[in-house]
Amino acid sequence: MFDYMTLRLIWWALLGALLVGFAILDGFDLGVAMLHPFVGRGDAQRRVAINTIGPVWEGNQVWFILGGGAVFAAWPPLYAVSFSGFYLAMLLVLLGFILRPVALTFRSKRESPRWRESWDWLFFVSGFVPSLIFGVAFGNLLQGAPFHFDQTMRVFYEGGLLGLLNPFALLCGLVSVAMLVMQGAAWLSVKSEGEVAARARRCGAFAAILLVLLISAAGLWTMVGVEGFRIASAVDPAGPANPLLKTVTREAGAWLDNYRAYPWMIAAPAAAYAGALLGALALALGGRVLALLATSLSVPGVVTMAGFSMFPFLLPSSTHPSQSLTVWDASSSKATLSLMLFVVVVFLPIVLAYTSWVYYVLRGPVSEAAVRRGDDYYY
């Protein structure tokens, strides 16, 4: 149905869509986790914040699993390098995801304020750590990871966790934290009432402005202080998947090549800035639905901005640039990509329809009075 080059492009776009879906949906879960100790004064108000995501956070987290599955099936070398080389970072993310349901479940097992406060801060950690690590990961993608292959395609990773926590990557981590706090605040402004919603709006407006400043700083650093990667040899987009058959050079400003070649890609940073600024304004003025729509425009803008900058690179190698993984040489076979695309076409609309139905059924805000009465709330 599609040729090999087109299938590779489709799966690159699908991987980006899964990351965007995760960043928007589980993004507000992580944002609420980071915000709830600050927007809630007392146990009832914190329970309001928690219960805004109580019925949906497990389903939202599935988008992360789908993304990992897509990498495993569509880009096997990328899966091998990233999930092995970034093992400790992935472990921290996994521990954060494990800590979230544990904190939500155990905080209500005792009435002791100290007990609940302790679990509340662990819930905060469960949101902050993955949010930071996700941004750090993108920062390291832009700089390249220290890996290479031998002639039998065995991968060797030469870095460690401390190497990932470099200044530029930490700046990207702060971008991620600010972005998800903004998204969580916009969600709370829609799904809560009273003091919780008011505090969330103030926090969200501040986070949105901070996001604009951090994006600007990271973008400037990328232009002048980060060496981008550029393919310097002929590449066959429909050729065999072998990352050892090309030549790659590094040069400051190379990550801007795609924006010069394809001006329409400017839409990504434009959406990131416009969504954040409009979200800040809407949050400050009390426009709840507009704020959520605006921040949900900014989040994919930030994510796709990195993807557009790197294309066709998926994971550059800082030690052996010519062995970097790209869309053209790190994919599964044409038959595998075709079969998986058929599965996606059949099942993804079902997932989207079911998800939309769930959010429709669970529409409406969570009130402090209802939480105090215990009206069928989980936590």
Side-chain angles (χ1 to χ4, degrees):
M1 182 170 55
F2 295 108
D3 60 37
Y4 203 6
M5 181 187 75
T6 303
L7 283 169
R8 285 166 162 167
L9 286 173
I10 290 173
W11 273 101
W12 174 77
L14 284 173
L15 179 59
L18 290 172
L19 292 176
V20 166
F22 172 74
I24 293 176
L25 296 178
D26 204 44
F28 66 68
D29 296 337
L30 297 171
V32 169
M34 290 186 282
L35 281 169
H36 96 284
F38 307 104
V39 301
R41 299 291 189 268
D43 183 65
Q45 291 186 357
R46 290 186 177 183
R47 287 184 62 206
V48 168
I50 290 171
N51 278 285
T52 63
I53 64 171
V56 297
W57 69 264
E58 290 176 287
N60 294 340
Q61 194 167 281
V62 169
W63 289 93
F64 182 70
I65 300 171
L66 290 175
V71 171
F72 173 77
W75 316 101
L78 175 62
Y79 181 88
V81 175
S82 59
F83 279 73
S84 298
F86 299 160
Y87 180 80
L88 291 177
M90 295 285 186
L91 182 61
L92 287 176
V93 171
L94 181 60
L95 290 176
F97 285 168
I98 292 172
L99 188 58
R100 174 163 53 183
V102 172
L104 290 175
T105 300
F106 277 87
R107 77 174 303 279
S108 61
K109 295 300 182 183
R110 294 178 59 187
E111 296 291 337
S112 167
R114 180 175 297 179
W115 170 270
R116 294 193 172 190
E117 177 115 2
S118 299
W119 286 110
D120 284 341
W121 284 106
L122 288 174
F123 183 47
F124 164 84
V125 170
S126 77
F128 177 77
V129 171
S131 300
L132 181 69
I133 295 299
F134 288 139
V136 167
F138 271 95
N140 280 279
L141 288 179
L142 290 167
Q143 296 175 102
F147 72 91
H148 69 276
F149 298 94
D150 65 12
Q151 292 303 314
T152 63
M153 289 302 295
R154 290 187 303 168
V155 63
F156 295 88
Y157 185 81
E158 302 167 358
L161 179 61
L162 294 181
L164 298 177
L165 302 177
N166 57 77
F168 177 75
L170 288 172
L171 174 60
C172 293
L174 293 178
V175 169
S176 176
V177 169
M179 177 182 74
L180 299 184
V181 167
M182 173 190 72
Q183 183 73 353
W187 175 258
L188 282 172
S189 72
V190 171
K191 290 293 292 182
S192 64
E193 298 176 338
E195 295 181 356
V196 174
R199 295 190 193 102
R201 288 194 294 270
R202 290 194 293 270
C203 292
F206 175 78
I209 297 300
L210 182 61
L211 174 63
V212 170
L213 297 176
L214 290 172
I215 292 174
S216 301
L220 181 62
W221 196 335
T222 301
M223 286 189 288
V224 300
V226 175
E227 289 187 335
F229 292 73
R230 181 182 294 135
I231 298 178
S233 61
V235 173
D236 182 4
N242 187 340
L244 307 181
L245 302 179
K246 64 183 179 300
T247 302
V248 174
T249 60
R250 299 187 65 177
E251 183 180 333
W255 286 142
L256 300 180
D257 287 353
N258 284 335
Y259 293 104
R260 289 188 283 263
Y262 309 102
W264 60 267
M265 288 187 176
I266 297 295
Y273 278 101
L277 292 172
L278 181 58
L281 181 63
L283 287 166
L285 298 178
R288 300 179 300 167
V289 175
L290 177 59
L292 184 59
L293 292 175
T295 60
S296 296
L297 173 67
S298 181
V299 170
V302 173
V303 175
T304 55
M305 185 164 51
F308 286 166
S309 297
M310 293 180 60
F311 182 84
F313 289 92
L314 296 171
L315 181 58
S317 171
S318 58
T319 55
H320 295 71
S322 293
Q323 298 187 16
S324 300
L325 300 177
T326 74
V327 171
W328 313 128
D329 59 25
S331 71
S332 294
S333 67
K334 180 180 178 182
T336 300
L337 297 181
S338 299
L339 176 61
M340 291 194 306
L341 183 60
F342 172 77
V343 173
V344 169
V345 170
V346 172
F347 288 102
L348 186 58
I350 298 174
V351 173
L352 292 175
Y354 174 76
T355 302
S356 301
W357 178 78
V358 168
Y359 278 92
Y360 175 77
V361 171
L362 297 172
R363 67 191 183 280
V366 177
S367 69
E368 186 176 345
V371 166
R372 290 183 184 276
R373 289 195 306 266
D375 293 351
D376 298 325
Y377 287 108
Y378 293 110
Y379 308 108

